[in-house]
Amino acid sequence: MTTVVLSRPQHRIPAAQHDYQQAGYKTLSMPCFAVQTNTEVTPEQLAQAERAPLLLIFNSNAIKHLLLLKPDFTLSQNTTVMGVGEGVADYWQAHFDQPILTPASQDSAGMMALLDHHRPENLVILTAAGGLDLVRRYCIDKQIHYQQINTYQRVPLSLDFEPLKQSLDEKKSVVLTATSGLILQHFWQQCPDNLKTKICELPLISGAERISNIAKDLGFHKVVIADSPSNQDMIAALISVETRQL
């Protein structure tokens, strides 16, 4: 039985374990980050988000912690809302009536295409520090004034590579997953040097093309891109890989 290494943020591990195990895989949990509310966000920043002409949301954590900071958060009816991916849209629609636009590709490239279409002069980004620098650079290049509000913080976690090393020593079938570039980089920085050659030979299921590019730059040889970072799409990509190998 194939073992899938789950590197998702700590709070997403239980759901990921359930989904992969239901699909017939063993799981090895190696969460790279925990998440906590950024209590340094000011009421003035939140008020600015409420009246922004365009609100850009990088992930569902940004919404969750926004509501912890301001449970009565209320947008202007003139605000356009955009989110990176269906997970963001589902979380948004569970809490707000206002519609949300998402790119078909569910990644930063698709988000930039949406911005090209709407051509905003100003926008507010809800996110955490780091990640999706492409969108921020796009705003700078297009002279779009943006305010970034980090509603939450990522807390790096120490990783125990011994169970993974044991699986490799026992020649077990192991597949890696990466749902963000930051996660993959954190995983790689902590990986012991004496394991890196073996780990680079493992199949890696990536949640987006930009993550795959990072993986290839790090030296991974067997990178497969899922349609999105969702558990369902990652599992579908994994099943497709195994089917082709039969």
Side-chain angles (χ1 to χ4, degrees):
M1 181 183 292
T2 297
T3 297
V4 180
V5 178
L6 302 177
S7 55
R8 299 200 72 142
Q10 192 174 51
H11 69 287
R12 297 193 183 277
I13 289 293
Q17 284 179 317
H18 174 269
D19 290 348
Y20 279 91
Q21 289 169 7
Q22 285 290 105
Y25 298 101
K26 290 180 64 177
T27 58
L28 174 58
S29 297
M30 297 182 69
C32 289
F33 294 100
V35 169
Q36 65 185 25
T37 305
N38 180 11
T39 56
E40 295 183 0
V41 173
T42 66
E44 291 76 17
Q45 287 178 300
L46 296 173
Q48 185 175 5
E50 287 181 314
R51 60 178 183 265
L54 191 151
L55 189 66
L56 174 53
I57 306 170
F58 277 7
N59 58 50
S60 58
N61 272 323
I63 306 168
K64 175 183 177 180
H65 292 276
L66 169 71
L67 291 172
L68 291 173
L69 290 163
K70 195 175 192 302
D72 61 345
F73 182 85
T74 305
L75 271 182
S76 162
Q77 289 300 310
N78 296 322
T79 298
T80 298
V81 184
M82 295 183 184
V84 182
E86 292 179 1
V88 178
D90 290 344
Y91 199 94
W92 175 264
Q93 290 169 341
H95 294 86
F96 296 95
D97 294 330
Q98 209 148 335
I100 181 170
L101 303 173
T102 58
S105 58
Q106 300 191 53
D107 57 16
S108 54
M111 182 55 64
M112 288 184 287
L114 268 182
L115 291 172
D116 267 340
H117 178 73
H118 285 268
R119 298 186 178 182
E121 294 182 0
N122 300 278
L123 59 86
V124 170
I125 298 171
L126 297 184
T127 183
L132 288 185
D133 287 330
L134 282 175
V135 174
R136 285 186 285 269
R137 288 200 297 270
Y138 171 90
C139 290
I140 293 169
D141 291 343
K142 299 292 185 179
Q143 297 184 321
I144 300 171
H145 180 269
Y146 74 92
Q147 170 71 28
Q148 178 172 324
I149 303 176
N150 299 328
T151 60
Y152 70 99
Q153 299 169 319
R154 297 181 182 91
V155 181
L157 300 176
S158 296
L159 299 177
D160 178 11
F161 278 83
E162 190 55 37
L164 177 54
K165 179 180 182 300
Q166 183 175 342
S167 293
L168 296 177
D169 289 343
E170 294 173 359
K171 309 295 185 184
K172 292 182 178 179
S173 174
V174 177
V175 174
L176 302 176
T177 60
T179 54
S180 83
L182 286 174
I183 282 175
L184 181 56
Q185 288 164 337
H186 182 74
F187 178 90
W188 191 248
Q189 287 164 2
Q190 291 205 36
C191 182
D193 288 340
N194 62 351
L195 282 183
K196 285 185 173 179
T197 299
K198 285 185 177 181
I199 285 177
C200 274
E201 295 298 331
L202 297 176
L204 186 148
I205 309 299
S206 151
E209 184 175 359
R210 58 186 169 78
I211 305 170
S212 298
N213 292 336
I214 293 171
K216 291 171 184 177
D217 288 343
L218 292 174
F220 286 90
H221 304 298
K222 303 173 183 176
V223 183
V224 176
I225 307 173
D227 288 340
S228 83
S230 72
N231 294 334
Q232 292 72 25
D233 284 343
M234 298 281 283
I235 290 168
L238 174 54
I239 291 171
S240 175
V241 168
E242 293 190 322
T243 301
R244 291 200 300 268
Q245 291 176 347
L246 293 177

